[in-house]
Amino acid sequence: MNTYYAKPGEVQREWLLVDATDLVLGRMATQIATILKGKHKPTYTPHVDTGDFVVVVNAEKIRVTGNKAEQKMYYRHSQYPGGLKATSYKKMMDTHPERIIEKAVKGMLPKNTLGRAMGMKLKVYAGPDHPHEAQNPRKIELEGC
């Protein structure tokens, strides 16, 4: 009995389409991170990026539970003294709703080169239109959202 390890050249990638309308942010992000890592496939190998591409549409229609819509803050730092910037969930939702999903999913991926490669396979769009029709993405329903 031999252990199978996927090689980077033989990975079969698929394009998946997720409609984020009325999905809970965190629950959706965990399932998308699992797909980007490739853990949904029997050929999953920890040191090889075996995941699929994920296209998320209607990012402006996601929802959060509890008081997060009023209280959640997003932080970033310019690496200069006093350079901490804070943005509320409502302001982020008005200006860049796709960044909310990107930030949630990337926080669930590994913090190394492999995780950054996985994060590049995530494509998020605020509205229902996306430029990836040529790849024929397969529409999937996320369970538990």
Side-chain angles (χ1 to χ4, degrees):
M1 190 97 178
N2 291 334
T3 303
Y4 174 77
Y5 287 114
K7 293 165 190 62
E10 62 188 34
V11 175
Q12 296 293 321
R13 298 202 196 290
E14 190 177 8
W15 284 76
L16 304 174
L17 179 67
V18 175
D19 187 2
T21 304
D22 291 331
L23 296 182
V24 179
L25 174 63
R27 293 171 189 258
M28 177 187 64
T30 56
Q31 294 181 24
I32 291 174
T34 302
I35 293 170
L36 290 173
K37 287 181 191 176
K39 286 191 142 189
H40 65 294
K41 295 181 176 180
T43 59
Y44 170 70
T45 306
H47 62 276
V48 177
D49 183 10
T50 58
D52 293 333
F53 288 89
V54 178
V55 179
V56 181
V57 293
N58 292 322
E60 61 198 9
K61 297 180 183 174
I62 59 167
R63 62 186 181 93
V64 291
T65 58
N67 295 328
K68 292 187 203 78
E70 292 83 30
Q71 296 175 351
K72 186 166 179 61
M73 298 294 285
Y74 291 95
Y75 298 98
R76 65 191 200 283
H77 201 284
S78 66
Q79 299 301 316
Y80 286 98
L84 183 65
K85 307 285 186 201
T87 308
S88 68
Y89 173 84
K90 283 189 181 255
K91 183 169 168 64
M92 186 82 87
M93 196 62 157
D94 292 338
T95 56
H96 302 286
E98 60 276 351
R99 289 187 191 168
I100 293 174
I101 296 176
E102 289 172 1
K103 194 165 177 65
V105 172
K106 286 188 180 183
M108 298 176 186
L109 295 176
K111 276 57 170 186
N112 55 24
T113 309
L114 195 59
R116 286 187 287 278
M118 293 172 186
M120 290 178 64
K121 295 184 312 209
L122 175 66
K123 315 292 184 189
V124 184
Y125 300 98
D129 300 324
H130 63 88
H132 303 288
E133 288 298 330
Q135 284 79 19
N136 293 326
R138 180 171 57 94
K139 187 169 176 31
I140 60 169
E141 293 293 326
L142 300 179
E143 59 272 351
C145 294

